Amino acid sequence: MSTHINAANRNDIAPSILLPGDPLRAKFIAENFLENPRCYNEIRGMLGYTGTYKGVPVSVQGTGMGMPSMGIYSWELITEYGVQNLIRVGTAGSFHDHIKVKDIVVGMAASTDSNYIHAFDLPGTYAPCASYDLLTKISAASEDLNIPFKAGNIVSCDVFYELGDEWWKKWASMGIMAVEMEAAALYMNAAYNDVNAIAIMTISDHFVTGEKATAEERESTFTDMMELALEAAIK
């Protein structure tokens, strides 16, 4: 069985999967952390691999940028391939001095400016949130590996090049830690289908200081985040 965007058969994908936006980050994770990784998808360049991590099957697949792309890939992984645990591993932009470039943040909730929620036809305002089960596993892995992280509310935005600085300052005033572009859609899809999802991100951009990580750093050096996600995937 395959879909129009995924060449995998149902048994090719593990019950737990890491979801970087960048397919080259998926390739990096597969080649550097998984044992005997096998590429199951190359359609649209969205690389997907399955291997084992400490003897447990784990998959990793790129999802592209933005909630529409994340929405399609995560929905099919859940409904067509039976994935139960979906862990976004990505990057985010910090809104606060104390959350620095290369810090790790976990989205306990994902505020959003997106209309993605309209697909679910709810009679009010929905608050997308992470799986408590996966959050506790990331917390346990953090203690075991001595890799700290910050947890709280993030915001998933539809527009990458926002104009001006008032938009992010308004989110920051409500305690939003950082901005990214995929978590809210992932959380909604997971909630609707009763599976687990969480987003763990490394800060790559800083709205207060203007600091930015390089493209190479974003692709292949945020390894602490990757280790936390993999440990959570097998616990």
Side-chain angles (χ1 to χ4, degrees):
M1 179 198 73
S2 62
T3 73
H4 67 293
I5 60 169
N6 204 322
N9 293 313
R10 185 176 177 90
N11 293 331
D12 289 342
I13 301 178
S16 295
I17 192 166
L18 273 59
L19 299 174
D22 183 354
L24 292 180
R25 189 180 300 133
K27 184 174 187 286
F28 177 87
I29 293 170
E31 292 179 345
N32 289 274
F33 290 96
L34 299 185
E35 298 172 358
N36 302 313
R38 184 178 66 83
C39 182
Y40 62 75
N41 186 63
E42 294 179 326
I43 295 176
R44 297 174 182 247
M46 208 55 67
L47 302 174
Y49 301 84
T50 296
T52 59
Y53 181 74
K54 297 184 177 179
V56 179
V58 177
S59 296
V60 56
Q61 179 171 325
T63 63
M65 292 186 290
M67 279 174 273
S69 188
M70 167 60 85
I72 293 170
Y73 281 100
S74 61
W75 185 272
E76 288 194 355
L77 288 166
I78 296 165
T79 62
E80 301 292 336
Y81 295 97
V83 176
Q84 296 293 305
N85 302 298
L86 300 95
I87 305 174
R88 164 161 157 69
V89 283
T91 57
S94 172
F95 290 161
H96 300 277
D97 283 323
H98 69 281
I99 303 175
K100 303 183 183 304
V101 169
K102 296 189 179 180
D103 281 357
I104 296 171
V105 297
V106 173
M108 296 172 61
S111 299
T112 186
D113 61 6
S114 176
N115 287 326
Y116 191 90
I117 189 61
H118 289 181
F120 299 94
D121 194 28
L122 294 170
T125 301
Y126 180 72
C129 61
S131 159
Y132 179 74
D133 179 63
L134 288 177
L135 178 60
T136 59
K137 290 175 179 179
I138 287 175
S139 181
S142 170
E143 293 189 12
D144 292 343
L145 299 173
N146 193 28
I147 298 175
F149 69 91
K150 297 175 172 65
N153 204 343
I154 59 175
V155 61
S156 301
C157 288
D158 274 339
V159 178
F160 186 81
Y161 291 110
E162 300 268 10
L163 300 179
D165 59 9
E166 290 305 310
W167 71 272
W168 70 264
K169 290 180 179 179
K170 290 177 180 178
W171 285 115
S173 72
M174 292 297 293
I176 300 294
M177 297 189 301
V179 60
E180 53 85 71
M181 300 187 72
E182 290 84 29
L186 174 62
Y187 289 1
M188 292 180 212
N189 283 357
Y192 186 82
N193 290 288
D194 194 25
V195 298
N196 299 309
I198 199 163
I200 177 170
M201 292 143 295
T202 302
I203 297 298
S204 59
D205 301 83
H206 208 292
F207 282 77
V208 179
T209 67
E211 185 180 357
K212 296 179 182 293
T214 67
E216 292 76 15
E217 288 174 327
R218 294 166 197 256
E219 179 184 314
S220 61
T221 66
F222 297 159
T223 54
D224 284 352
M225 164 186 69
M226 299 169 190
E227 286 193 69
L228 286 180
L230 286 164
E231 290 293 330
I234 67 170
K235 285 186 179 294

